[in-house]
Amino acid sequence: MHFCLPNCSLCTKWHVYHLKNEEKISEHIFTETIPISDNFLLTSKGIGFSYLPNELGAYALGEVFLYIPFKELDTYLKPEFKQLIGIMGQ
């Protein structure tokens, strides 16, 4: 699972955090589980969810963008959806 944080005064790009298997999301935000957001986008490679400041963590954390590649969701995707987005048999 990956989550991104918007620009800070030290950076020109988003911060990208790649959680390790043993790492807990609660080390970075206020919760162990992340609710599904109504603010989402689909790409050809995955789904992204956007959370406003204070939704998941301190206001200073800023907007949080959670991106999940379809390959990590493979067992949950219907074959029809996989075919539609062109990932059948990958």
Side-chain angles (χ1 to χ4, degrees):
M1 183 180 306
H2 311 285
F3 72 100
C4 308
L5 306 174
N7 297 350
C8 72
S9 60
L10 303 174
C11 304
T12 57
K13 302 273 184 195
W14 284 54
H15 298 289
V16 178
Y17 295 90
H18 300 278
L19 295 180
K20 299 173 181 74
N21 287 338
E22 67 278 0
E23 191 174 11
K24 293 184 178 183
I25 191 82
S26 62
E27 294 174 23
H28 303 281
I29 61 174
F30 292 153
T31 183
E32 287 284 336
T33 59
I34 299 174
I36 301 293
S37 173
D38 291 337
N39 296 325
F40 68 92
L41 64 94
L42 291 173
T43 71
S44 62
K45 301 205 183 277
I47 186 168
F49 298 94
S50 180
Y51 299 88
L52 297 173
N54 284 339
E55 278 191 274
L56 298 178
Y59 184 82
L61 188 63
E63 181 182 0
V64 174
F65 182 78
L66 171 68
Y67 179 76
I68 307 171
F70 287 136
K71 66 182 179 181
E72 292 185 28
L73 298 172
D74 186 65
T75 58
Y76 305 103
L77 300 176
K78 291 184 177 184
E80 299 86 0
F81 182 75
K82 291 181 188 180
Q83 186 174 9
L84 180 69
I85 62 170
I87 62 168
M88 206 61 179
Q90 292 183 0

